Amino acid sequence: THTKENKMSSDNKRSGYDIRQGLLGQAQSILEQNAQMEYEITKKWPKLTTEDIIAEAEKLYEFVQKK
C-alpha cells in the first residue's frame, strides 16, 4: 500500500506538459472516433486539422478546471 500511495502522489504531480500532452491525445482520439462515425454515414472523411484537435483539447481542459 505504501508503494501505491507513492504512485498516487506522483500521479498528482504531473507537469503541465504531461497534462497538455494527455489532453491532446484524448482530443485527437475523440475527433478520430467522430470522423469514423461520420464516414460510416456519409462515406466521406471529414478533414481534421491541428486547430480542431487543439480546440477540442481546450474544451476538455476547461471541463477539468471546473470545480
Side-chain angles (χ1 to χ4, degrees):
T1 61
H2 183 67
T3 304
K4 188 174 184 178
E5 289 173 11
N6 286 344
K7 170 134 177 59
M8 287 173 54
S9 73
S10 69
D11 285 347
N12 291 335
K13 295 179 184 177
R14 291 177 59 195
S15 72
Y17 175 83
D18 289 336
I19 293 168
R20 288 189 299 276
Q21 182 182 25
L23 289 173
L24 285 169
Q26 289 177 342
Q28 182 176 359
S29 293
I30 290 168
L31 293 177
E32 287 174 347
Q33 288 174 358
N34 290 346
Q36 178 69 38
M37 287 189 291
E38 186 173 329
Y39 176 77
E40 294 295 323
I41 295 167
T42 65
K43 301 301 180 203
K44 295 179 186 175
W45 285 104
K47 182 180 178 188
L48 291 180
T49 66
T50 303
E51 290 79 14
D52 295 332
I53 295 169
I54 292 170
E56 187 69 20
E58 288 174 342
K59 286 195 290 187
L60 293 172
Y61 184 74
E62 286 175 22
F63 173 76
V64 170
Q65 290 297 92
K66 287 183 181 179
K67 294 187 180 195

